[in-house]
Amino acid sequence: MSFLTKIRRKTPNEFFLIPGLIGLGIFVFAICYSIYMSFYRYKLGFMQPNYVGLTNYSMLLHDPVFTTAVKNTLFFVAIASTSELLYGIFLAVLLYWSNKRYLFIPFLIVPMILPAVNLVVIWRFLFHPDYGFVNQILTSIGLSAINPLNNPKWAMPTIILMDIWQMTPFVMIIVLAGLSTVPPEVLTAARIDGARKFQLTLKILLPMTKNVILAVFLLRLIDAFRIFAKVYLLTRGGPGVATETIELQIYNRALRGLEIGLGSTMSVIFILISLVVIIPYTIMVLKNWRR
Amino acid sequence: MASLINVFLIVVLLTVLVPLGVLVMISLLPPGEWSIPPKSPTLDNFVYVFKEFRFYRNMLNTFLFIGLAILISLVLALPTAYAIARLQIKYYVWVFTVVLVILVKSLPPGSLLVPVYELLWKLRLTNTVLGVALSYQVYTLPFVIWILTSFLLDLPREVETAARIDGAGRFARLRHIIFPLSIPGIISAVILGFLNLWNEYMYSSVIVSSRNLQTAAVVLGQLVTSEYVYDWGILASANIISVLPAIFFVSFVQKNISKAITGGIKG
């Protein structure tokens, strides 16, 4: 037996984890570094880090723009992912009972693969105040033109509508896959008892896919925190601060302004908020993967 | 009842197709015109985007960055996923690794932007291909580990057991059995990685500032955010060209797409 084979035999199984752990370790280091830097005032390339204690935190908590950004982010995450979940389940059920579902599915999932830039072009053109498609229709039937992207009250709902348009197919396709795993015998048995489609759906199909539904909801919640490109390209946080989000704040104030200390504080706050949805998801995966 | 459902689905289909149709129609508009449908449709915009605008260079950049990023991730992820899914590991080490994978996969990329940027800046890797590929690891590394692990968990154990009885060690099994068998998993990781990152704007726009290294998404983003969009036709045709690779990828795996997306979720 050669020397190399001996070493190979003796390496513990944990050795195989190392490549991935090194890569992920860099990001853990990055998080720790953010926590550390959140107590400093530090402008990259301009000044050395300067310990300021909790000043960054108290400053941000009293900063009206940042607190608005936090509220907007939470509002978006809650409304968008809940609507996508309900609408997605609804569409999945319709497809489940449709005999032509394979005609619909390929077209319905197209929005999901479109880059954010494409969506923004479409949306900006649809809602353009002067020659937008929506206004052309509205004025032609005698209604007054609208300009939701420049209206502080309607800008965020418009972004949410755009996200629903794009991401509902994701919920739909996963829930549909879940529904399809319900064994047909269960349905046949219930049907013999005289249950109708509506009852079958509510009483049997959906309860039997509740794990999938929970999983897809958690995935949507986690993903809804990542709306940077859509908001940045559609409204840049405006009008005013109506669509300002935490990601936009980090991008504009921390990176464009090179304020590493303040940006780290924002990142720490952002991570703490997102942990609320990440922890249940982690527990779910741990349970699923246990061998 | 069934026909009523189909009628409803057709209405839903229209809400999807009309905005897409509008995008296609915008791309056919000659400069200065903005009536939908176009009165005098033209393909000049597409010609301009390719010839004058040289948009394909930015698309090639995107391919290069994503390809390199996914390659790095695959090399790091395969042994890790193999260990998570198959090998006997101390329980607390296993939990620690899985938690780390899911945590990094789920954190909003924005929350890691500041430290990652600073690290790459200090290593003088901003504005380099390697720098962008490394910053993309925020997305690709945990994602590829996740996909490969759920793929390997579904693979029947018997194939490996047979090889073990024949005396193959763990390294040999990883190379000669697990690697070839996980090719379908690797392919779905590559495709989903491409679809995810084709869209990437935040890291690509921060790490790269020189024009000839910019990605397609960043160039389009700059066009669409300029205060006054002077030519919708060019903008829309560049958008359509940029989405063609994604559509190509999806049609390539159309049958398995829902399987690939649902990887890792079990009922």
Side-chain angles (χ1 to χ4, degrees):
Chain A
M1 196 185 283
S2 79
F3 180 64
L4 200 67
T5 333
K6 264 185 196 163
I7 290 184
R8 283 188 174 183
R9 287 273 154 87
K10 282 208 170 137
T11 47
N13 284 336
E14 284 77 4
F15 172 81
F16 285 83
L17 292 172
I18 290 175
L21 281 179
I22 289 176
L24 296 170
I26 293 173
F27 297 118
V28 175
F29 169 76
I31 297 170
C32 298
Y33 183 77
S34 281
I35 297 173
Y36 173 75
M37 268 304 157
S38 71
F39 301 111
Y40 284 80
R41 183 148 196 275
Y42 177 23
K43 208 164 155 79
L44 190 62
F46 289 92
M47 61 178 273
Q48 288 304 305
N50 197 355
Y51 183 76
V52 291
L54 286 168
T55 317
N56 284 335
Y57 286 92
S58 67
M59 209 173 93
L60 283 176
L61 291 180
H62 294 105
D63 182 314
V65 180
F66 187 73
T67 47
T68 312
V70 173
K71 277 183 213 150
N72 284 341
T73 306
L74 294 177
F75 179 76
F76 175 86
V77 169
I79 304 291
S81 44
T82 316
S83 323
E84 283 153 21
L85 184 77
L86 296 176
Y87 188 39
I89 293 174
F90 176 67
L91 291 184
V93 169
L94 284 186
L95 285 173
Y96 182 83
W97 290 113
S98 166
N99 48 354
K100 304 259 189 323
R101 76 171 94 148
Y102 294 105
L103 288 178
F104 290 113
I105 293 173
F107 295 102
L108 289 180
I109 63 170
V110 171
M112 208 170 84
I113 60 162
L114 291 185
V117 190
N118 280 23
L119 262 82
V120 169
V121 172
I122 297 174
W123 245 248
R124 279 179 71 150
F125 193 87
L126 283 178
F127 288 110
H128 196 281
D130 301 327
Y131 44 84
F133 191 60
V134 172
N135 279 344
Q136 280 184 25
I137 292 173
L138 284 180
T139 46
S140 70
I141 57 170
L143 292 170
S144 55
I146 54 167
N147 190 3
L149 290 176
N150 261 327
N151 183 329
K153 208 170 135 196
W154 287 104
M156 191 48 117
T158 313
I159 293 176
I160 293 178
L161 187 70
M162 185 166 103
D163 199 66
I164 293 174
W165 186 79
Q166 181 176 34
M167 293 317 293
T168 302
F170 174 78
V171 179
M172 178 192 85
I173 203 134
I174 292 181
V175 174
L176 183 63
L179 290 173
S180 316
T181 60
V182 174
E185 302 85 50
V186 183
L187 288 182
T188 324
R191 211 179 258 137
I192 294 167
D193 293 344
R196 306 203 41 190
K197 277 179 187 169
F198 187 68
Q199 289 168 310
L200 285 177
T201 308
L202 275 189
K203 299 235 169 82
I204 296 174
L205 285 174
L206 291 181
M208 284 187 80
T209 39
K210 67 172 190 297
N211 286 339
V212 175
I213 292 174
L214 179 69
V216 77
F217 187 46
L218 286 173
L219 279 178
R220 275 314 303 144
L221 281 171
I222 288 170
D223 204 46
F225 279 103
R226 319 174 166 193
I227 40 165
F228 175 76
K230 280 178 203 158
V231 182
Y232 182 75
L233 298 174
L234 193 67
T235 63
R236 289 205 169 216
V241 290
T243 56
E244 197 67 55
T245 66
I246 308 178
E247 280 182 312
L248 249 70
Q249 287 280 301
I250 292 176
Y251 186 85
N252 284 330
R253 286 168 75 175
L255 268 160
R256 292 290 176 225
L258 295 173
E259 291 274 4
I260 300 297
L262 198 67
S264 301
T265 316
M266 292 180 187
S267 305
V268 171
I269 296 174
F270 197 21
I271 290 173
L272 288 177
I273 293 173
S274 61
L275 279 180
V276 175
V277 291
I278 293 176
I279 289 172
Y281 178 66
T282 311
I283 294 172
M284 196 191 74
V285 175
L286 279 175
K287 277 186 189 159
N288 266 337
W289 279 4
R290 196 150 70 203
R291 298 159 297 167
Chain B
M1 188 64 186
S3 58
L4 191 68
I5 289 174
N6 285 337
V7 169
F8 208 94
L9 280 170
I10 289 171
V11 175
V12 174
L13 192 63
L14 283 179
T15 66
V16 170
L17 291 185
V18 167
L20 292 177
V22 167
L23 182 67
V24 174
M25 283 193 267
I26 305 170
S27 72
L28 302 175
L29 285 175
E33 194 192 311
W34 41 68
S35 56
I36 295 289
K39 287 190 191 91
S40 45
T42 164
L43 284 174
D44 288 354
N45 297 320
F46 289 93
V47 178
Y48 177 85
V49 168
F50 254 90
K51 277 207 174 138
E52 311 287 321
F53 200 57
R54 302 234 185 144
F55 188 59
Y56 59 91
R57 282 194 310 199
N58 304 101
M59 289 176 68
L60 286 177
N61 285 339
T62 318
F63 262 107
L64 183 65
F65 296 158
I66 302 178
L68 185 60
I70 292 180
L71 187 68
I72 296 174
S73 288
L74 279 173
V75 171
L76 296 176
L78 191 63
T80 311
Y82 174 56
I84 297 176
R86 286 305 176 89
L87 297 178
Q88 284 290 328
I89 296 172
K90 289 195 192 73
Y91 185 62
Y92 65 92
V93 180
W94 186 85
V95 171
F96 175 77
T97 314
V98 174
V99 167
L100 214 60
V101 173
I102 302 304
L103 182 74
V104 178
K105 175 177 171 288
S106 314
L107 278 178
S111 66
L112 291 168
L113 183 61
V114 173
V116 168
Y117 176 75
E118 201 201 333
L119 190 66
L120 291 175
W121 190 79
K122 283 186 170 157
L123 294 172
R124 296 178 186 280
L125 282 173
T126 51
N127 268 325
T128 62
V129 178
L130 185 63
V132 183
L134 288 179
S135 77
Y136 281 0
Q137 298 304 314
V138 177
Y139 301 88
T140 53
L141 182 60
F143 180 74
V144 173
I145 298 179
W146 181 68
I147 291 259
L148 288 183
T149 306
S150 33
F151 183 82
L152 290 177
L153 280 169
D154 284 346
L155 222 58
R157 289 187 90 85
E158 289 74 30
V159 274
E160 216 189 324
T161 319
R164 196 162 63 201
I165 293 167
D166 290 347
R170 292 156 300 173
F171 289 93
R173 295 201 305 265
L174 178 60
R175 228 176 80 199
H176 299 296
I177 296 169
I178 297 297
F179 175 65
L181 281 177
S182 45
I183 296 286
I186 291 174
I187 291 176
S188 68
V190 169
I191 288 171
L192 288 176
F194 259 95
L195 285 179
N196 263 338
L197 283 173
W198 198 254
N199 203 347
E200 212 289 324
Y201 188 89
M202 190 191 273
Y203 282 79
S204 328
S205 68
V206 169
I207 309 290
V208 169
S209 53
S210 65
R211 177 73 170 81
N212 49 15
L213 271 182
Q214 268 167 346
T215 63
V218 171
V219 171
L220 290 176
Q222 285 167 352
L223 276 185
V224 75
T225 49
S226 58
E227 274 306 303
Y228 179 64
V229 179
Y230 66 100
D231 207 327
W232 284 95
I234 288 168
L235 188 51
S237 41
N239 267 284
I240 289 175
I241 292 173
S242 87
V243 84
L244 291 180
I247 290 185
F248 171 76
F249 272 122
V250 171
S251 56
F252 197 56
V253 283
Q254 206 208 356
K255 279 199 181 131
N256 298 321
I257 184 124
S258 73
K259 216 175 166 189
I261 296 170
T262 50
I265 301 178
K266 297 208 190 82

